[in-house]
Amino acid sequence: DTNSSRSVQNCAFISEGTYYKRPYGAGIRSGCHWTFENCIFDGRGSDETAFSCHNNSDFDKETTQLFENCRFRGTASGPLIRFGSITKNANNIINNVIFKGCVLGGLLLSEEKADTLGRGILFKVSGYSNDVRTGEIRNTDGNNYKSSIDLI
């Protein structure tokens, strides 16, 4: 739902690579605020990301996703965390993602089906005290989104 809150604490999301290969995947709606504390996202046995999220169209309010002391694990050769942007009718509303004290592996910001849902990146990632392997941005609109990832 729009303008809703989600708070998850002390949980482990595990995928053994069977039917649902990704331990956690969701779409976030306008005005939502999510918090994950002391959670593990473990994609063992899967070549998928450990956490995947995309925005939805028709946003009129910013969102926030806070991850505090979380761990992202898996056997994927690429990034373990992915945020996909849908820009069609999205009013260029930014989705804020904050990591505090997390072990991330790799992070990817990308477009979600750019040819049909629009081009550009509408996620901004920030945070501190994280263990980050890589931060990657894949976009087709020709803009530089380097400042969309600010992790220390």
Side-chain angles (χ1 to χ4, degrees):
D1 294 336
T2 59
N3 302 314
S4 65
S5 295
R6 174 181 298 171
S7 180
V8 180
Q9 298 174 335
N10 306 314
C11 287
F13 300 91
I14 300 170
S15 172
E16 299 289 346
T18 56
Y19 184 77
Y20 292 108
K21 294 183 178 186
R22 183 175 295 132
Y24 195 98
I28 192 164
R29 299 185 61 95
S30 181
C32 288
H33 299 280
W34 295 359
T35 302
F36 295 92
E37 294 180 64
N38 303 314
C39 292
I40 296 171
F41 301 87
D42 190 342
R44 64 178 92 156
S46 173
D47 59 356
E48 299 277 340
T49 57
F51 182 94
S52 179
C53 179
H54 64 82
N55 64 341
N56 286 304
S57 60
D58 299 327
F59 270 40
D60 59 2
K61 294 180 183 168
E62 289 187 352
T63 66
T64 303
Q65 293 171 295
L66 170 63
F67 297 86
E68 193 162 355
N69 195 35
C70 292
R71 304 293 179 258
F72 299 85
R73 303 176 183 147
T75 57
S77 59
L80 294 177
I81 305 166
R82 180 181 181 274
F83 293 97
S85 293
I86 296 175
T87 61
K88 183 177 184 179
N89 300 320
N91 300 319
N92 293 321
I93 301 294
I94 298 297
N95 304 278
N96 298 292
V97 181
I98 303 162
F99 291 100
K100 297 179 182 178
C102 296
V103 177
L104 304 179
L107 168 72
L108 171 64
L109 302 183
S110 65
E111 298 160 328
E112 189 85 12
K113 300 179 183 175
D115 290 338
T116 56
L117 299 176
R119 301 180 192 293
I121 303 296
L122 294 176
F123 280 90
K124 178 156 180 63
V125 178
S126 62
Y128 56 87
S129 299
N130 297 298
D131 180 353
V132 185
R133 186 179 69 219
T134 60
E136 182 180 350
I137 301 170
R138 293 184 199 155
N139 60 298
T140 60
D141 66 351
N143 293 326
N144 182 346
Y145 293 98
K146 187 175 180 180
S147 64
S148 293
I149 300 177
D150 184 16
L151 292 170
I152 56 173

